[in-house]
Amino acid sequence: MLTLQIYLNRITTQHNGATLDYRGQFSNSRLIVADFTQFVNDIQAALKSAAEKNIYTPPSKLFGNLRATPICLDVREQLADGLSPVEYKVLLETLMAVCNSRAVKPEQVLYHGKIPFQAA
């Protein structure tokens, strides 16, 4: 599983000692994801960069998600009130959009390495 660490306007991936850092414009002073469309675009750009370095295998037209590397989003930024349910839902929706799948599991969105909410 490839873990993308989310900070304010920054996405970081660490794999086998290599660190990929991608800067975006998706946050503001109050929200980790203030612009959903920009966040999806920035995640896709970060994954493209990871694929170019053979860290990530994207879904293919032939095999779909069967051979794709699973993705996990881990919000590492310290938020004043923690991750809100709305922000959590936005992160889940982002994974669904990026992975072209409705089979995203709640444990694929983390806050400081832990599942922030249990699925209802």
Side-chain angles (χ1 to χ4, degrees), residues 38-92:
Q38 185 63 45
F39 185 59
V40 170
N41 292 338
D42 289 342
I43 290 285
Q44 289 172 333
L47 290 174
K48 182 179 177 186
S49 175
E52 290 169 356
K53 298 196 186 273
N54 294 322
I55 295 173
Y56 169 70
T57 304
S60 69
K61 291 182 181 179
L62 183 60
F63 295 106
N65 288 334
L66 287 176
R67 294 189 178 174
T69 305
I71 302 167
C72 175
L73 298 180
D74 187 4
V75 177
R76 304 302 292 178
E77 192 72 41
Q78 185 64 41
L79 304 174
D81 296 326
L83 194 65
S84 74
V86 173
E87 289 172 312
Y88 179 76
K89 178 76 172 162
V90 166
L91 293 167
L92 277 176

Side-chain angles (χ1 to χ4, degrees), residues 7-112:
Y7 299 90
L8 291 175
N9 289 321
R10 185 168 57 108
I11 302 165
T12 302
T13 302
Q14 294 180 342
H15 182 75
N16 291 339
T19 300
L20 297 174
D21 204 24
Y22 184 83
R23 299 236 177 238
Q25 293 296 316
F26 52 85
S27 301
N28 66 22
S29 61
R30 296 178 58 211
L31 298 169
I32 193 80
V33 179
D35 185 339
F36 178 76
T37 304
Q38 185 63 45
F39 185 59
V40 170
N41 292 338
D42 289 342
I43 290 285
Q44 289 172 333
L47 290 174
K48 182 179 177 186
S49 175
E52 290 169 356
K53 298 196 186 273
N54 294 322
I55 295 173
Y56 169 70
T57 304
S60 69
K61 291 182 181 179
L62 183 60
F63 295 106
N65 288 334
L66 287 176
R67 294 189 178 174
T69 305
I71 302 167
C72 175
L73 298 180
D74 187 4
V75 177
R76 304 302 292 178
E77 192 72 41
Q78 185 64 41
L79 304 174
D81 296 326
L83 194 65
S84 74
V86 173
E87 289 172 312
Y88 179 76
K89 178 76 172 162
V90 166
L91 293 167
L92 277 176
E93 294 290 329
T94 301
L95 274 178
M96 288 180 197
V98 170
C99 297
N100 295 324
S101 172
R102 293 282 173 210
V104 173
K105 298 176 181 144
E107 49 275 359
Q108 286 179 262
V109 175
L110 306 173
Y111 179 66
H112 290 272

